[in-house]
Amino acid sequence: MAQDTARQATATPARALLPLILPALVVGVGASLLLLGVSAAAEALQHVLWRNLPDALGIGRYSVLWTIVMLTATGVAVGLVIWKVPGHAGPDPATTGLDAPVLPPAVLPGLLLATALMLAGGPSLGPENPIIAVNVGLAFWLGRRLLPRLPGGLWVALAEAATIGALFGTPVAAALLISEALAGRRLKGALWDNVFAPLVAAAAGAVTTTLVAHPTFDLHLPPIGHPGWGDLLAALVIASAAALLGMCAVRAFPYVHGAFARLRHPMLMLPVGGLVLGLLGALGGHLTLFKGLDEVGEIAADPDGWSAGEFATMTVVKLAALLVAASCGFRGGRIFPSVFVGTAFGLCAHALVPGVPPALGVAAGVLGMLLAITRQGWVSLFTAAVLVASPAIIALLCIASLPAWLLVTGRPQMQLRADGTPVR
């Protein structure tokens, strides 16, 4: 009798999980295709706005005039969408993170349009937050109608995991995020029973993205050899310094957001924000525009091609652009531009101290910056590690994350509550 009961107890979770595989696969593939579709549309529009149009007008593609005009015009276009479309393209992005709220279906088209315009126009934000929100809304709305017996929270978890897997091209990032999210909760059953279906969705999203778009985060920097004491010291200093720099932006976030909020109307907030971003782009150059992922590859391809001062300028300008774009109402996420800031910061450290390997500087800079901006420890470590693809660096990053984490933990995050106060 006891043996029969034990067999039933061990078999029950499997019988409960098996019906979730197909919905998870469908959500994973759908989330990836939506991300790829929005990205492709934004890239096509970006090509028109930043190449075809200035060429036809005889204006330099990234000239000061064109940069200011395009960023301001992007603010006008996104402001019109937020002002006029149903649902106003979702809530204030300063109040949202990767754990997206379930938005009504009528809000989602406007949010997608605002996101595509933002990605094409040049503001320093990534697609992650709005795409997660759209996928969550679609999965919840369709799932509750097609399979009403499944809990609504399951569709949210599947969509979030699927989009993270699609964004990073691997389910590992989603697994780390889910583990962090579940760390403070009382779970029913084993951890892997709780993460099984989201991991299936994340894997489906990652595989779809990989097969269709062939993404890579590896910057192809020269790998470091056997790390020494100097490498450990460099990792500790760079990660901590990057975290402090990131916390400066976090501290300024509610004040900058409050300044734009006093303008009250999206047709004032976003055009003014676009103008400020245009001026910053004119100062920092075209590499400080857009979400930053392609631009990271460009600066990492030639670590010695810029001076320490030029890398420092890119770092400060991009961080300021991220702060303004996230404050004035553009719909977008903060992870990808933070990666650019951390990369430029790490390459600045290499330019100042040539003995610091570029791979080490980049990984430590990205680690510290992401810890400050996202407060996601595992994702920060993972992102920093995959950028350099050097196994020897993982131990250094784990150690460097400890003092950097002490600098950021318990302090305000780069996210606000509805009343404008920082989230801790």
Side-chain angles (χ1 to χ4, degrees):
M1 177 70 72
Q3 291 179 347
D4 292 341
T5 303
R7 290 193 194 98
Q8 292 174 0
T10 56
T12 300
R15 287 200 298 267
L17 294 175
L18 283 172
L20 303 180
I21 292 178
L22 183 58
L25 290 173
V26 172
V27 171
V29 173
S32 175
L33 292 178
L34 187 140
L35 169 65
L36 294 173
V38 172
S39 299
E43 287 175 8
L45 181 57
Q46 177 184 329
H47 190 89
V48 171
L49 296 177
W50 290 92
R51 293 176 182 267
N52 297 349
L53 191 54
D55 288 350
L57 296 174
I59 302 173
R61 291 179 178 179
Y62 295 105
S63 64
V64 171
L65 175 62
W66 191 250
T67 298
I68 294 173
V69 168
M70 277 308 309
L71 268 297
T72 305
T74 301
V76 172
V78 176
L80 281 170
V81 171
I82 294 172
W83 180 26
K84 292 296 185 181
V85 300
H88 306 291
D92 182 353
T95 64
T96 62
L98 294 179
D99 50 342
V102 179
L103 300 176
V107 177
L108 305 184
L111 180 54
L112 278 178
L113 179 58
T115 303
L117 290 172
M118 180 279 299
L119 291 172
S124 294
L125 292 172
E128 58 274 17
N129 289 16
I131 296 299
I132 289 174
V134 172
N135 280 330
V136 165
L138 286 174
F140 184 86
W141 182 67
L142 292 173
R144 294 294 285 169
R145 280 154 180 76
L146 299 177
L147 294 172
R149 298 179 64 179
L150 294 180
L154 173 66
W155 298 108
V156 174
L158 293 180
E160 288 181 348
T163 311
I164 293 295
L167 281 163
F168 287 91
T170 171
V172 175
L176 296 173
L177 269 174
I178 295 167
S179 298
E180 277 194 287
L182 295 177
R185 302 179 187 177
R186 296 185 64 180
L187 303 178
K188 295 181 179 180
L191 173 64
W192 280 95
D193 288 341
N194 286 273
V195 303
F196 178 84
L199 279 182
V200 173
V207 169
T208 302
T209 298
T210 300
L211 292 175
V212 175
H214 311 290
T216 178
F217 280 81
D218 186 5
L219 298 178
H220 305 291
L221 291 166
I224 65 171
H226 185 73
W229 291 108
D231 296 324
L232 176 59
L233 177 61
L236 290 167
V237 172
I238 294 170
S240 298
L244 287 173
L245 179 61
M247 285 304 300
C248 292
V250 172
R251 287 287 186 179
F253 188 44
Y255 301 102
V256 178
H257 179 268
F260 280 106
R262 282 192 283 274
L263 297 177
R264 297 184 179 276
H265 198 282
M267 287 305 294
L268 290 175
M269 296 167 59
L270 284 138
V272 171
L275 174 60
V276 175
L277 291 174
L279 295 171
L280 287 170
L283 176 63
H286 73 279
L287 291 175
T288 59
L289 301 175
F290 307 106
K291 64 183 179 183
L293 198 56
D294 294 334
E295 292 72 21
V296 161
E298 189 169 342
I299 63 173
D302 188 9
D304 300 309
W306 289 269
S307 67
E310 288 171 321
F311 279 126
T313 300
M314 287 187 230
T315 300
V316 174
V317 168
K318 187 69 171 182
L319 187 59
L322 166 60
L323 178 60
V324 171
S327 299
C328 70
F330 283 109
R331 272 45 178 172
R334 300 177 276 275
I335 291 179
F336 289 139
S338 298
V339 170
F340 180 95
V341 177
T343 299
F345 185 85
L347 292 175
C348 178
H350 165 70
L352 287 171
V353 184
V356 175
L360 178 61
V362 167
V366 170
L367 171 65
M369 188 58 58
L370 285 178
L371 284 175
I373 299 297
T374 71
R375 212 58 54 82
Q376 300 282 348
W378 284 120
V379 172
S380 301
L381 271 170
F382 167 79
T383 305
V386 299
L387 287 174
V388 300
S390 178
I393 212 168
I394 295 177
L396 295 177
L397 293 178
C398 288
I399 297 171
S401 70
L402 302 178
W405 182 255
L406 290 176
L407 293 171
V408 304
T409 186
R411 291 172 172 81
Q413 301 181 30
M414 201 170 189
Q415 183 177 340
L416 304 177
R417 298 185 179 90
D419 61 1
T421 58
V423 176
R424 290 182 179 269

